[in-house]
Amino acid sequence: MKTKITTMTCGLTTDDEVTMASDWIGRAAGTKPPFSFCYDGRPSGEMLAGWQVRTEEGRNSAGDAVKTVTYHDPASGLECVIELTTVPGTSAVEWIVRFRNTGTGDSPILSDIQAMDFVRACPAKTPVILHHSKGTTAAIDDFALLRSEITHWTATTLQSCGSRAFLPFFNVELGGEGVIGGIGWIGKWRASFSRSKDGAVRMCAGTARTHFRLHAGEEVATPRMLLIFWKGDVARAHNLLRRHMVARHLPRVAGKVVEPPISCATWGGMKSRNHLSLIEFIRKNKLHFDVYWMDAGWYGPDHETEEFQNFHTEDWAYHIGHWRVNRMVHSDGLAPIVAAAAESGMKVLLWFSPYLAEESAPILREHPEAMLCASAAGGGGIGLNKQKVNLCSLNIGSPESRRFLADQISGLIREHKVEWFRDDGGLPLPREDQDAPDRQGIAEIRCVQGFYAFWDDLLKRHEGLLIDNCGGGATRIDLETLGRSLVLHRSDYNCHPDADPIGMQVGTYGLSHWAPLVGGGAPARPGDTYNFRSAWCGGIPFSLFHACGFGNAPIAPAPDYPIEWHRRMIEDYCRVRTYYTGDFYPLTGCSTSDREWFAYQMDRPDLGEGVVVALRRPKSPFEKAVFLLQGLTDADYELTDLDSGAVRKVSGKNLKTKGVTVTMKKLPDSVVLTYRKLTTPRTHR
């Protein structure tokens, strides 16, 4: 079953918001640039007025307006360049700041670089609220939405490495208006929000540590920054961001947004004959999957491996960096599996952990300079099956080692016709003590820039290649990665067999405020509709195994596996997944309590359609709830219950003002209601 993913325009933006953005850009490209730094001990605000300034205007390939302002220090040859990009008809502005040394010797010290640093006026009595989200720590509340007030006596500072502690997005609410935005940086970033006594709010963000000289001819870049100016309510602000993310920060193939896939997740170390048996089971039973997912364990020197690994027998880390097919597991390579998957309508996803290597891996033998540090785990490797694996961190910031790694992985992608590259593991960053005193932060900048360049190289070499940004459980979600990849596995919390589906609900709630199509899957529990629907989002790994993960399981479902239930779950998801690029409206709050309901609405105003998903948690005492829907017109809508098939006609005005009543008797339980405006033809399926 196929659905069509189309994209919405950013028509939600008002003229007032466009004016707010234009006024801000006018100042930013003039006397008040939205960044700051210190140069030779002096703050940039004192110096830039005396530097030479050059402004250029143009458009990029997407038709966006690009304004480039170059500040040149005639004394040292340092140039500071800001590239401001705006999407016509919206209030969104993005920018990157670059520093380059055009002189003949080392520059003076650049320090305390803030890619974003500006002040927004606000009446002193107006409350200022910062909305943001947790990152992932493999916990039930991963990506939970957070809220705090900024006052003149309390500042809020967010610090994270990628999306580990906090998600690199923020929304500053200033009494019915505000700015929402994000940071493009998978390294260590820091953002601070403070307020003066007169009410003005200062917003700063950048890399966590900068104190360095630039060599002659050297250039570095700051994190990418995004701001969207908004008026109205907070939900509207988040939907402005979602629409911008869909329009400018979701991966595309042939100009179309990539459809979130339904994946059959398997263990890569399972022998070829068992992969082929499982694919035949899928074909014979006409089960719909978009992707056949081969996780870790398929690689390494030729060796026997435990096919169905668990936490006591896993050995996948012993051979990281040996990027060749283990012929004792896959005697004919991966070609037979890829061919069988293609015949069953599936693309193949292949697991890698590219930035680590076991100490005897070929890249370290041939390029010892590629090693960033001797152990990825800080001096002892990681423990698996009561043994330690010495994993070395690779210097992805080195063009030579990056090219060698890209050649290795590209060869496998090309040879085996793999269409999804799964990039797992966090990005090892250099230790702070590895930088010279006058080069603090340079190695991390090179590492982060090298990571983006590595992905860009793979995408350029392989037209149509798709990247799954696993990142050790979604630790690398940012503006830059979201434009190059999809996240098919949002949290390692969900790997555990006993993981509570509430963790998936919290993740959907938190992430949907910022980033469309971040996927994930709950532990496979055949027949458990509540569990499956808790995982609905941007892509579903739907394993046929009874056990969680990829081990401790037979190669195919047991004879009593509920095939019809499976088909219905996939059919339901296929009916609604097109809505997950739409506007998001939370219909309830979201905590980790098992005594509550969780409900949300995904609305596609361009289609006149959407979905309401309601989940009654296991100990909720409430059997009934009324939800006021949002984003609708006053036209009539057809409302369909996916479980009962019941269809009724309701006016959009009533759905907005009186709401829709949902009743659930069981514990736990779920209800899914789709709707479409009756004056809009159904053209997307």
Side-chain angles (χ1 to χ4, degrees):
M1 180 181 296
K2 294 292 182 182
T3 56
K4 181 181 178 183
I5 298 294
T6 57
T7 59
M8 293 186 295
T9 63
C10 293
L12 192 66
T13 309
T14 66
D15 291 342
D16 282 350
E17 289 162 338
V18 174
T19 300
M20 289 166 64
S22 297
D23 291 346
W24 184 87
I25 292 166
R27 295 190 299 272
T31 58
K32 296 183 178 180
F35 60 85
S36 67
F37 59 93
C38 287
Y39 191 47
D40 202 16
R42 295 179 61 198
S44 57
E46 296 179 2
M47 297 183 298
L48 290 182
W51 289 17
Q52 299 168 354
V53 182
R54 182 176 73 254
T55 301
E56 300 171 89
E57 296 188 20
R59 292 196 177 272
N60 61 21
S61 59
D64 301 335
V66 180
K67 181 173 289 189
T68 303
V69 184
T70 302
Y71 303 84
H72 178 82
D73 176 23
S76 68
L78 182 74
E79 287 190 343
C80 173
V81 182
I82 180 171
E83 186 178 277
L84 290 151
T85 303
T86 56
V87 181
T90 78
S91 61
V93 55
E94 296 193 24
W95 71 92
I96 291 180
V97 182
R98 306 182 195 279
F99 295 90
R100 55 179 174 240
N101 183 1
T102 66
T104 57
D106 285 354
S107 74
I109 293 289
L110 269 165
S111 62
D112 194 25
I113 298 172
Q114 300 295 310
M116 177 181 76
D117 188 348
F118 74 99
V119 175
R120 180 74 184 272
C122 182
K125 293 184 179 180
T126 298
V128 176
I129 307 299
L130 175 66
H131 305 268
H132 62 289
S133 278
K134 277 191 72 222
T136 174
T137 56
I140 192 172
D141 62 344
D142 276 3
F143 305 111
L145 195 68
L146 305 173
R147 180 184 184 276
S148 58
E149 184 173 356
I150 302 169
T151 66
H152 72 266
W153 61 84
T154 59
T156 298
T157 298
L158 311 178
Q159 297 187 76
S160 190
C161 183
S163 49
R164 291 182 187 274
F166 296 102
L167 204 62
F169 291 91
F170 55 87
N171 187 7
V172 181
E173 178 188 2
L174 307 99
E177 64 177 53
V179 288
I180 188 170
I183 304 167
W185 197 253
I186 58 165
K188 297 175 182 176
W189 57 268
R190 178 169 55 218
S192 62
F193 305 86
S194 57
R195 196 173 189 191
S196 59
K197 289 186 178 181
D198 66 0
V201 182
R202 184 181 181 188
M203 310 176 201
C204 300
T207 53
R209 185 174 58 109
T210 49
H211 183 91
F212 53 76
R213 303 180 190 277
L214 288 179
H215 300 321
E218 190 174 20
E219 178 177 315
V220 295
T222 68
R224 176 180 295 275
M225 299 302 308
L226 163 67
L227 288 182
I228 299 175
F229 296 83
W230 60 271
K231 287 190 172 184
D233 60 31
V234 173
R236 186 172 174 282
H238 286 280
N239 284 325
L240 281 172
L241 174 62
R242 285 178 60 89
R243 292 189 182 198
H244 179 76
M245 296 300 292
V246 171
R248 291 296 183 269
H249 287 281
L250 287 184
R252 283 170 162 75
V253 172
K256 296 181 180 179
V257 173
V258 175
E259 185 174 74
I262 305 163
S263 306
C264 178
T266 72
W267 181 248
M270 190 168 69
K271 292 189 185 301
S272 287
R273 64 176 181 270
N274 289 326
H275 281 287
L276 295 173
S277 175
L278 186 55
I279 293 171
E280 174 59 18
F281 181 91
I282 292 170
R283 186 199 64 77
K284 179 180 177 181
N285 288 281
K286 298 179 181 179
L287 301 179
H288 174 81
F289 287 105
D290 303 302
V291 170
Y292 190 76
W293 173 328
M294 294 184 67
D295 215 75
W298 57 268
Y299 46 84
D302 294 341
H303 66 284
E304 287 290 353
T305 184
E306 172 61 48
E307 284 196 82
F308 309 111
Q309 303 199 2
N310 57 37
F311 294 115
H312 302 291
T313 63
E314 56 185 334
D315 65 356
W316 54 270
Y318 296 159
H319 309 293
I320 286 178
H322 295 265
W323 301 124
R324 61 180 299 277
V325 176
N326 177 3
R327 296 285 172 160
M328 292 190 74
V329 175
H330 305 293
S331 58
D332 296 320
L334 304 180
I337 299 172
V338 173
E343 290 175 4
S344 299
M346 296 182 289
K347 298 179 178 181
V348 169
L349 174 148
L350 196 61
W351 183 97
F352 291 87
S353 184
Y355 319 109
L356 300 175
E358 189 271 331
E359 58 188 356
S360 66
I363 189 172
L364 297 180
R365 290 199 310 268
E366 299 182 35
H367 290 271
E369 74 282 359
M371 186 170 69
L372 186 64
C373 59
S375 172
I382 62 174
L384 284 179
N385 196 19
K386 300 182 180 179
Q387 300 182 42
K388 283 200 172 175
V389 187
N390 290 318
L391 295 178
C392 303
S393 302
L394 300 183
N395 183 8
I396 196 69
S398 160
E400 293 77 15
S401 59
R402 186 167 67 244
R403 192 176 304 113
F404 181 91
L405 182 62
D407 288 345
Q408 276 196 318
I409 291 176
S410 286
L412 283 161
I413 290 172
R414 187 174 296 108
E415 177 186 356
H416 299 291
K417 298 181 175 61
V418 172
E419 295 174 275
W420 278 84
F421 165 66
R422 178 168 168 80
D423 190 327
D424 198 0
L427 180 67
L429 296 173
R431 299 194 307 265
E432 294 185 6
D433 61 5
Q434 291 182 299
D435 283 333
D438 63 349
R439 297 280 285 176
Q440 297 292 302
I442 282 287
E444 179 180 322
I445 291 172
R446 294 285 177 242
C447 187
V448 172
Q449 291 178 327
F451 170 86
Y452 298 136
F454 172 66
W455 274 13
D456 289 341
D457 187 9
L458 289 181
L459 292 170
K460 184 178 180 180
R461 294 191 195 198
H462 306 280
E463 184 178 358
L465 179 70
L466 296 167
I467 296 175
D468 166 24
N469 178 25
C470 176
T475 64
R476 297 188 311 231
I477 296 176
D478 70 28
L479 284 175
E480 298 283 11
T481 59
L482 288 172
R484 296 168 168 90
S485 67
L486 288 181
V487 179
L488 302 186
H489 174 69
R490 67 169 56 160
S491 171
D492 278 351
Y493 171 78
N494 304 307
C495 286
H496 197 277
D498 298 324
D500 194 318
I502 289 174
M504 287 300 307
Q505 298 169 25
V506 173
T508 293
Y509 183 87
L511 285 162
S512 294
H513 281 79
W514 316 101
L517 300 193
V518 176
R525 294 168 187 162
D528 189 339
T529 302
Y530 166 82
N531 179 70
F532 180 67
R533 288 176 174 171
S534 294
W536 280 8
C537 50
I540 300 288
F542 194 19
S543 174
L544 287 168
F545 290 161
H546 283 237
C548 170
F550 309 100
N552 255 356
I555 62 167
D560 61 349
Y561 185 82
I563 294 292
E564 290 304 319
W565 171 84
H566 179 115
R567 289 198 187 104
R568 185 167 63 85
M569 290 298 100
I570 295 300
E571 182 178 336
D572 286 351
Y573 180 67
C574 284
R575 290 180 66 179
V576 305
R577 64 174 164 178
T578 192
Y579 305 137
Y580 282 81
T581 53
D583 293 338
F584 169 73
Y585 295 105
L587 301 178
T588 63
C590 190
S591 72
T592 58
S593 169
D594 60 4
R595 296 182 57 80
E596 298 181 0
W597 282 39
F598 171 58
Y600 62 92
Q601 175 190 357
M602 290 289 182
D603 181 61
R604 287 289 300 268
D606 56 326
L607 301 176
E609 301 184 19
V611 65
V612 174
V613 180
L615 299 149
R616 184 186 180 191
R617 291 175 175 173
K619 295 183 180 179
S620 171
F622 309 106
E623 293 186 356
K624 183 182 295 186
V626 178
F627 301 117
L628 302 181
L629 303 193
Q630 302 181 54
L632 308 184
T633 70
D634 288 345
D636 286 338
Y637 286 79
E638 180 182 86
L639 202 64
T640 302
D641 186 313
L642 285 196
D643 292 316
S644 69
V647 178
R648 55 195 172 107
K649 186 170 73 172
V650 188
S651 75
K653 182 177 181 180
N654 280 345
L655 289 172
K656 290 185 295 181
T657 59
K658 297 181 180 179
V660 58
T661 300
V662 176
T663 302
M664 286 185 259
K665 299 286 188 181
K666 295 187 299 182
L667 284 171
D669 203 358
S670 63
V671 168
V672 176
L673 303 173
T674 62
Y675 59 84
R676 67 181 183 95
K677 194 189 325 183
L678 291 178
T679 56
T680 301
R682 306 183 77 176
T683 59
H684 73 288
R685 285 192 289 272

